[in-house]
Amino acid sequence: MDSVPALDEPLKKVLGGNTAKVMADHLDLHTVGDLLHHYPRRYAERGELTRLSDLPLDEHVTVVAQVADARVHKFDRGTKQRLEVTLTDGSGRLQLVFFGRGIYTAQKELLPGRRGMFAGKVGVFRNVRQLAHPAYEMLGKDDGAAAVEAWANQLRPLYPACAQLESWKIEKAVGTLLDSLEATGWDGLVDALPESLRLGRGLAELPEALLKIHRPRTKTDIAVARDRLKWDEAFVLQVALARRRHADAQLPAVPRAPADGGLLDAFDARLPFTLTEGQQSVSREIFADLATDHPMHRLLQGEVGSGKTMVALRAMLGVVDSGGQAAMLAPTEVLAQQHHRSITEMMGDLAEGGMLGGSEQGTKVVLLTGSMGAAARRQALLDLVTGEAGIVVGTHALIEDKVQFHDLGLVVVDEQHRFGVEQRDALRSKGKQPPHLLVMTATPIPRTVAMTVFGDLETSVLDQLPAGRSPIASHVVPAKDKPHFLARAWERVREEVAAGHQAYVVCPRIGDDEEDEPNGAARKSAKPPGKSSAKSPAKSPEDEAEKRPPLAVLDVAEQLAKGPLRELRVEVLYGRMQPEAKDEVMRRFAAGEVDVLVATTVIEVGVNVPNATAMVIMDADRFGVSQLHQLRGRVGRGSAAGLCLLVSEMPEGSPARARLGAVAATLDGFELSRIDLEQRREGDVLGQAQSGARSSLRVLAVIDDEEVIAAAREEAAAIVAADPELAGYPELRTVLDAFLDEEREEYLDKG
């Protein structure tokens, strides 16, 4: 290349159309900058033994190993043949297999004793891990041992790759870019880190870091590069969040201070219990925010059952005291109805302001959902626009244009991650001035994630359970290995019901129509909850358990009602039921008229039935760690101890069983959230699943790099406070504009 490519130049201009297309389609790399920041996932080095025995199934890998053996085998009555090559690295073995014309070339090159790089997707055949028709590049094929030694004394980068483009081809493409950039003195490379910050932190210059991450000579080079590049990622993200916090702080808001002797005082005087220290402390933080003349932006995270709703309700009552209105936005109708029911029960006649028998100090609490009848909906809308209703609880229906408030002062969003930025902002825009915002989540979030994903919000944590809440015992039930354990689980449910309590059974699917499972196969295939599925001898136990359709509510409920729980009152609950039917089932369950509720995860948040003491989660390995913790929080909400049984057909020693064991071993949601994060890694944390965008974090590990993230947050806050428009930092502004593309900015908003 004659000239250095700009970082935003399309790769097809630099590498050629075919290679660029593969990179775009399979690795989401489109520009020179994308490829430059596509860092190696690890490095092959002399003496390093890639553990062939630990290779992950169904993943595309690159290994460095030695050929131990190569043999041709005939099959199909001698009419066909295959080449089987055994690789070794001193710790394990891996088989390569070639068919057809590929055999002859491979036979000549893959000679015992030769060393090479091999890339392919890890499969399994007859319990042996193998790569079928792998791409490979032999090391030292021209010069023998001398060339191998020369290679072996280097650290060789191994890149995140795909079946269509091996690691060493990516290495060559990156090398082309680096050579060009070096030749022109890195012209056009924009460094976001201010010089004073870089020197003060002892960080490498950006060109040095990029060279050392892609072409390290020593492990120290890699460490130096990663230290610098972690700072780039953390700092740019934190500047974006600091600017958002600063912009929010400039917005005007009406201070909302509770009135002495008003609604909040009347409510507190009636409480039959004392608030926990945590609830009192968090309430003080919230009321301090509400008293200011710019909008509160606070995240309230708390363990399942820690009393978040009580804290949020007191904030809403304080706003009503000040003459404003409060709206609570819930993600589902079931949850909205549950919140409305629990709030009106907690408030008593204080929730009947202006009504016959209502308290003089009270206000009206209304529900607004999409399925309400026309008359009830008209009345609710009228109560909101006149100010008669101080509190409204609703779903997305609150966002519709027809909904108008008299004076919206506070928006409470429950389970923030279920709402998009447009929905949240549409509700906030209904205030005469920007209302205060309180976001609640029952999913414990590690501090580092709170500083990144929720970095534009101040954070309050409730980690104390209210008095009277009972411990929950959790156990894994291995349905396939020990079927009698599952039989005992149903016995335990019967015992809980005999003692006057109730139980949940949770399933991953509904099972009501063909959409639920392709070809309508699910209901035919689903196994009775008392029996394990048959095992095909050709598949591993993990494969067998994974490929069986997930158990379904309708199937399991029917089988339980006819089988192990036939003498009990069993009913079902799932999201696609008619709203009236859902509400009726929940009402009857809460009233003790149903013994066992077989449900989907519709009960995951907000459902509060203190008499429910047992939960059996079918196919528990199909749920995430945090979701299992959320579900478990539905039991043990009263004075009786809770029991959660995690049923799985996964074999002992499998990753899925280890995950369930972790859930059973602790009730600490923050510990479990760390485990969950380690399994999902950062892509999901920063919205890869939601937005489809590649994670912006490549070397920064949200789990491990707390010190870097915290320090970057401090530096970013100081710079933005002194120069909100970044007028003195043009390069930082340039990088920030590139970082905050439309999708990622929306995800930051969404939180």
Side-chain angles (χ1 to χ4, degrees):
M1 290 183 300
D2 298 325
S3 62
V4 63
L7 294 189
D8 58 358
E9 188 164 337
L11 281 172
K12 63 184 175 185
K13 290 189 176 179
V14 182
L15 301 176
N18 291 339
T19 302
K21 187 174 189 314
V22 172
M23 286 189 172
D25 292 348
H26 298 281
L27 296 172
D28 197 20
L29 303 174
H30 304 274
T31 66
V32 167
D34 288 343
L35 182 54
L36 202 57
H37 294 294
H38 186 69
Y39 305 134
R41 59 180 172 80
R42 66 183 189 87
Y43 301 84
E45 58 178 312
R46 184 183 185 188
E48 178 194 27
L49 297 178
T50 307
R51 295 193 62 82
L52 296 179
S53 56
D54 294 341
L55 289 177
L57 280 176
D58 293 326
E59 284 195 23
H60 194 87
V61 300
T62 301
V63 299
V64 180
Q66 187 168 338
V67 177
D69 185 48
R71 300 183 185 205
V72 174
H73 296 269
K74 293 189 175 181
F75 64 100
D76 207 359
R77 297 182 180 178
T79 61
K80 297 177 182 174
Q81 57 183 8
R82 68 178 179 271
L83 173 65
E84 289 183 2
V85 178
T86 303
L87 301 181
T88 181
D89 64 356
S91 68
R93 290 182 169 237
L94 176 68
Q95 189 176 81
L96 312 180
V97 61
F98 299 85
F99 298 94
R101 282 179 291 183
I103 290 177
Y104 305 110
T105 305
Q107 249 187 314
K108 292 176 186 175
E109 296 185 333
L110 301 180
L111 302 174
R114 292 199 63 189
R115 191 171 168 86
M117 293 189 293
F118 306 86
K121 191 174 184 180
V122 182
V124 66
F125 181 69
R126 292 178 181 166
N127 291 323
V128 176
R129 297 191 183 219
Q130 67 172 23
L131 303 182
H133 281 283
Y136 60 88
E137 183 174 277
M138 302 312 294
L139 298 167
K141 61 186 175 186
D142 298 325
D143 302 345
V148 174
E149 280 299 309
W151 172 84
N153 281 316
Q154 298 174 11
L155 287 163
R156 185 133 194 199
L158 297 178
Y159 289 86
C162 61
Q164 296 79 6
L165 196 69
E166 296 82 20
S167 172
W168 54 84
K169 291 181 181 175
I170 297 172
E171 180 186 357
K172 287 175 182 174
V174 171
T176 300
L177 295 186
L178 292 175
D179 289 344
S180 177
L181 286 163
E182 271 197 290
T184 55
W186 298 87
D187 186 34
L189 187 68
V190 180
D191 188 347
L193 279 195
E195 183 75 358
S196 58
L197 188 160
R198 186 184 69 74
L199 293 172
R201 297 278 174 181
L203 299 169
E205 292 187 18
L206 185 54
E208 179 190 352
L210 289 170
L211 278 174
K212 285 182 174 177
I213 198 84
H214 290 294
R215 291 175 172 170
R217 294 179 180 175
T218 64
K219 288 185 177 180
T220 302
D221 282 354
I222 299 169
V224 166
R226 290 176 68 84
D227 285 349
R228 162 63 206 246
L229 297 170
K230 281 179 184 182
W231 257 94
D232 280 31
E233 292 176 3
F235 179 68
V236 171
L237 177 60
Q238 292 302 332
V239 168
L241 293 167
R243 292 188 76 205
R244 191 172 304 284
R245 290 194 301 273
H246 183 271
D248 286 340
Q250 307 313 304
L251 295 172
V254 178
R256 307 284 181 176
D260 287 337
L263 180 56
L264 178 60
D265 285 348
F267 175 77
D268 284 348
R270 298 180 182 201
L271 280 180
F273 52 82
T274 305
L275 296 177
T276 65
E277 285 181 23
Q279 286 174 314
Q280 293 178 38
S281 171
V282 169
S283 289
R284 284 193 292 272
E285 292 174 347
I286 290 171
F287 284 122
D289 285 356
L290 290 173
T292 63
D293 57 6
H294 57 82
M296 170 174 74
H297 288 87
R298 187 165 288 278
L299 170 69
L300 172 56
Q301 56 168 318
E303 280 284 17
V304 176
S306 59
K308 293 183 301 300
T309 306
M310 172 61 72
V311 170
L313 175 56
R314 294 186 71 249
M316 291 193 286
L317 295 176
V319 169
V320 174
D321 259 352
S322 73
Q325 293 169 290
M328 177 181 273
L329 183 60
T332 66
E333 291 208 358
V334 168
L335 188 51
Q337 290 159 352
Q338 177 73 35
H339 276 315
H340 180 257
R341 190 183 301 115
S342 61
I343 285 172
T344 52
E345 285 172 1
M346 283 192 281
M347 289 178 64
D349 63 356
L350 292 173
E352 299 168 357
M355 299 161 68
L356 191 62
S359 167
E360 287 184 13
Q361 293 169 301
T363 188
K364 220 173 185 181
V365 179
V366 301
L367 176 69
L368 188 64
T369 64
S371 65
M372 287 173 66
R377 184 180 179 77
R378 264 196 309 272
Q379 185 59 53
L381 291 173
L382 184 63
D383 289 340
L384 288 178
V385 76
T386 61
E388 190 81 11
I391 295 175
V392 59
V393 182
T395 56
H396 302 78
L398 281 175
I399 297 165
E400 293 170 7
D401 290 342
K402 293 178 186 174
V403 181
Q404 299 297 325
F405 290 84
H406 178 66
D407 181 14
L408 180 60
L410 172 65
V411 172
V412 178
V413 180
D414 194 21
E415 295 306 323
Q416 156 87 349
H417 61 280
R418 302 197 182 194
F419 292 100
V421 60
E422 300 93 344
Q423 296 162 326
R424 188 181 84 181
D425 286 352
L427 181 54
R428 290 174 64 195
S429 69
K430 293 181 181 292
K432 293 172 184 174
Q433 285 191 304
H436 299 278
L437 175 69
L438 180 65
V439 170
M440 297 197 300
T441 180
T443 304
I445 303 164
R447 178 170 174 257
T448 48
V449 180
M451 285 191 294
T452 50
V453 178
F454 292 99
D456 60 333
L457 301 173
E458 299 300 324
T459 303
S460 296
V461 178
L462 277 176
D463 52 11
Q464 242 180 321
L465 290 184
R469 287 301 300 268
S470 301
I472 305 169
S474 302
H475 304 282
V476 178
V477 178
K480 183 184 276 289
D481 301 346
K482 299 176 180 175
H484 59 286
F485 276 36
L486 186 54
R488 174 63 184 141
W490 303 126
E491 270 182 45
R492 285 293 291 113
V493 170
R494 292 196 299 272
E495 289 167 7
E496 289 297 313
V497 173
H501 300 303
Q502 294 158 276
Y504 298 100
V505 177
V506 181
C507 303
R509 286 179 48 249
I510 301 169
D512 61 345
D513 59 25
E514 292 194 2
E515 288 179 19
D516 222 27
E517 191 72 19
N519 307 319
R523 297 199 67 190
K524 296 173 190 168
S525 314
K527 307 296 180 288
K531 299 178 183 176
S532 60
S533 57
K535 180 184 173 187
S536 165
K539 297 171 184 170
S540 72
E542 290 97 328
D543 288 343
E544 189 65 29
E546 277 291 335
K547 288 177 182 175
R548 173 181 57 71
L551 291 171
V553 165
L554 298 180
D555 297 313
V556 170
E558 181 182 344
Q559 291 154 6
L560 290 175
K562 291 178 179 176
L565 305 184
R566 56 186 167 274
E567 70 276 20
L568 305 184
R569 297 168 295 178
V570 178
E571 296 218 10
V572 300
L573 181 72
Y574 52 88
R576 290 213 293 268
M577 288 169 64
Q578 288 299 313
E580 301 82 8
K582 280 189 286 193
D583 204 31
E584 175 62 13
V585 170
M586 273 313 305
R587 186 199 63 73
R588 294 181 58 235
F589 187 63
E593 297 167 17
V594 175
D595 297 321
V596 179
L597 189 62
V598 185
T600 58
T601 55
V602 72
I603 64 157
E604 181 182 351
V605 288
V607 174
N608 182 28
V609 180
N611 193 47
T613 55
M615 176 177 286
V616 181
I617 304 180
M618 307 302 293
D619 281 340
D621 48 87
R622 305 206 185 219
F623 299 96
V625 168
S626 292
Q627 193 171 32
L628 289 171
H629 183 60
Q630 287 265 35
L631 287 165
R632 171 171 61 184
R634 299 305 109 204
V635 297
R637 302 179 75 85
S639 55
L643 172 69
C644 180
L645 301 175
L646 307 168
V647 179
S648 173
E649 292 198 358
M650 286 298 188
E652 184 75 43
S654 65
R657 277 283 291 277
R659 196 168 68 240
L660 296 182
V663 175
T666 181
L667 291 173
D668 184 339
F670 286 92
E671 175 59 28
L672 289 174
S673 70
R674 287 185 69 85
I675 294 169
D676 197 21
L677 182 57
E678 283 167 4
Q679 290 167 351
R680 292 184 296 125
R681 303 308 297 176
E682 284 71 41
D684 282 341
V685 174
L686 286 194
Q688 191 171 18
Q690 292 91 332
S691 71
R694 185 176 69 257
S695 167
S696 60
L697 302 191
R698 297 175 179 84
V699 289
L700 187 73
V702 172
I703 314 163
D704 305 319
D705 293 324
E706 182 170 332
E707 287 183 16
V708 174
I709 293 168
R713 184 179 170 92
E714 281 181 24
E715 295 275 10
I719 283 174
V720 170
D723 185 359
E725 297 303 313
L726 304 179
Y729 303 92
E731 292 190 318
L732 173 57
R733 185 72 189 254
T734 300
V735 172
L736 199 62
D737 289 343
F739 170 76
L740 285 178
D741 58 33
E742 198 171 315
E743 272 186 344
R744 196 167 289 125
E745 182 145 26
E746 177 177 322
Y747 188 72
L748 282 178
D749 256 329
K750 182 175 173 181

